[in-house]
Amino acid sequence: MPVNRFSRIVFAFFVAAGVGYLLASIAFTAANLIRLSEVGAEISLADAMRTVWFDLRGLAPSLLWTQYGSLIFIGLAIAFPVAALLQRLAIRANVTTIAPFLYPLAGATAMVAILVLSFQEYEVYAFAGARGWLGNLAQCFAGACAGYLFHLLGSPSEARP
């Protein structure tokens, strides 16, 4: 793999995973704030913004692999190469219509895997912002956005639809 292509893929991964993390963290915080307001808590816009900032820093990727951000980066680092393999197989089988959907699907699947595995490990939702179908859907959406962005940034322009 030429250096340019490798650099593009690494850049695309970090940008996509970073955006996926930002979206997941904001959705995570929003879900928690909505739940708090449903039980009568009054949350000002300033409080909401401070909470978003606090969670962005607190959940951020670090050398501690159990941080939510770290799990997102790990999950996507596993999911995207699988999507690349499936994309190559789809192109070889002349089923090119599904190729653009594989990276978003891989990103969403990575998020589901993180949430399911954390529930299995702790027997409780380890990430409160992902409770319920709407919270899970928001996390999957963040993963799908990361996958789509990776597809856009990582694929050569002639390979994109």
Side-chain angles (χ1 to χ4, degrees):
M1 177 181 327
V3 173
N4 262 351
R5 181 166 159 76
F6 179 76
S7 298
R8 184 179 62 239
I9 290 171
V10 169
F11 173 77
F13 173 76
F14 280 104
V15 169
V19 168
Y21 164 71
L22 287 173
L23 292 173
S25 180
I26 291 168
F28 179 101
T29 305
N32 286 332
L33 293 175
I34 289 168
R35 277 196 202 86
L36 286 171
S37 67
E38 286 174 350
V39 296
E42 292 186 27
I43 301 164
S44 69
L45 180 59
D47 289 336
M49 297 310 290
R50 274 194 299 273
T51 305
V52 166
W53 179 246
F54 178 82
D55 284 349
L56 281 172
R57 289 181 309 152
L59 299 170
S62 70
L63 295 178
L64 184 62
W65 71 271
T66 56
Q67 290 287 104
Y68 193 47
S70 300
L71 291 173
I72 290 171
F73 272 71
I74 293 167
L76 295 176
I78 295 168
F80 290 165
V82 172
L85 176 64
L86 292 175
Q87 187 176 40
R88 283 190 182 169
L89 292 173
I91 290 169
R92 232 183 234 159
N94 206 21
V95 188
T96 56
T97 55
I98 65 167
F101 302 103
L102 291 173
Y103 285 107
L105 181 61
T109 303
M111 298 303 284
V112 167
I114 291 165
L115 297 173
V116 168
L117 291 173
S118 68
F119 184 82
Q120 294 298 322
E121 178 68 26
Y122 303 112
E123 294 182 23
V124 68
Y125 287 102
F127 309 107
R131 289 187 185 134
W133 68 271
L134 191 56
N136 279 301
L137 190 61
Q139 297 302 304
C140 290
F141 178 74
C145 287
Y148 184 69
L149 187 56
F150 181 77
H151 173 70
L152 288 178
L153 297 174
S155 302
S157 57
E158 63 273 3
R160 281 185 251 134

